[in-house]
Amino acid sequence: PRALLVSGRLAGHRPAARRRAADPGPRGGRLARARAARPDCAPDAPQACGRDAAWFAVRAADPAAVARALALRTVLPANWRGGLADVRDAGAFVSPPVDGFVFVTGADVRARADVDAEVAPRLAHLSAQFGFAAWFRSDDAADAYGWAFARSGEVARAYAFAGEHGPVAWRGEADAAERARGCHVDDPRDRSDDDVKWWPDRRIVHALAAAWARDPDALPARGAVGGPGVVGRMGPAPSC
């Protein structure tokens, strides 16, 4: 009887064990889903940020240090392909360095485009730690464009344009790169009564990105396969 009892216990446990293997339950399921949700972090070559994007370019060599400076939460390693895919709807991807710059892009960066409340405080904080940081927005879908840069903790220049609202931010004076590209000069062909007769576009934003830092559209041709960057969620902007 004792042997039968032991056998019965074992027999009773085996189906349960098989059921757990087939269906790991809530805890096992969460772990499995968490593992599956981790972005790919195998080294790969740089990729462009894509259209309708906003990004920071930070003169730095360590993506983890940039992520700490931005106080990113829930940080995970990610390569270019996995990181850009992971932040399409939420989050920020901090890239491996390319030509001396680390790029930060993603839905969280695009959503935090208010120059005074969001962009300027982050630029000042990043440039205080790394020396130089720039921000760009090229968003055809929202008809919104902008650029800004900071050195040693001070925002030297910022401009933003938002569709029918026209210019919504202006700090400092137009720099040489803007002037060289005819920025803020009225189009002589425009005979309307509109106050604004010059409009930024994607071409201007990427030209300024190339002049001040690096054009993200050109990254695939500039960098070799390197280590991973990181993804995370952006919190509140630092206080000035």
Side-chain angles (χ1 to χ4, degrees), residues 148-236:
F149 69 85
R151 292 191 180 98
S152 303
E154 297 291 334
V155 176
R157 175 67 176 133
Y159 170 83
F161 177 94
E164 62 183 17
H165 300 290
V168 293
W170 181 287
R171 289 193 182 194
E173 297 300 327
D175 88 325
E178 291 175 84
R179 294 193 298 271
R181 288 154 182 83
C183 295
H184 320 297
V185 176
D186 288 351
D187 186 340
R189 297 168 297 179
D190 189 337
R191 304 296 184 182
S192 71
D193 295 329
D194 294 343
D195 292 333
V196 177
K197 297 184 179 182
W198 176 86
W199 299 269
D201 56 24
R202 186 175 188 276
R203 177 184 58 85
I204 290 290
V205 174
H206 283 261
L208 292 175
W212 293 348
R214 296 291 182 269
D215 178 1
D217 278 359
L219 294 182
R222 299 189 69 90
V225 173
V230 300
V231 294
R233 294 304 307 271
M234 292 181 73

Side-chain angles (χ1 to χ4, degrees), residues 50-179:
R51 300 185 71 91
D52 300 330
W55 66 94
F56 291 98
V58 185
R59 189 171 286 150
D62 183 0
V66 174
R68 288 192 297 271
L70 287 169
L72 260 60
R73 310 186 309 270
T74 319
V75 175
L76 293 170
N79 62 14
W80 282 92
R81 183 180 299 276
L84 291 173
D86 192 71
V87 302
R88 191 171 292 123
D89 298 319
F93 170 57
V94 184
S95 80
V98 180
D99 286 353
F101 284 89
V102 167
F103 296 85
V104 185
T105 190
D108 283 6
V109 182
R110 185 185 180 200
R112 292 160 171 79
D114 185 299
V115 168
D116 291 328
E118 299 281 357
V119 175
R122 287 188 171 90
L123 279 179
H125 186 68
L126 288 167
S127 68
Q129 182 167 340
F130 299 103
F132 177 86
W135 166 84
F136 304 93
R137 185 182 188 189
S138 175
D139 196 333
D140 291 341
D143 193 20
Y145 308 90
W147 49 82
F149 69 85
R151 292 191 180 98
S152 303
E154 297 291 334
V155 176
R157 175 67 176 133
Y159 170 83
F161 177 94
E164 62 183 17
H165 300 290
V168 293
W170 181 287
R171 289 193 182 194
E173 297 300 327
D175 88 325
E178 291 175 84
R179 294 193 298 271

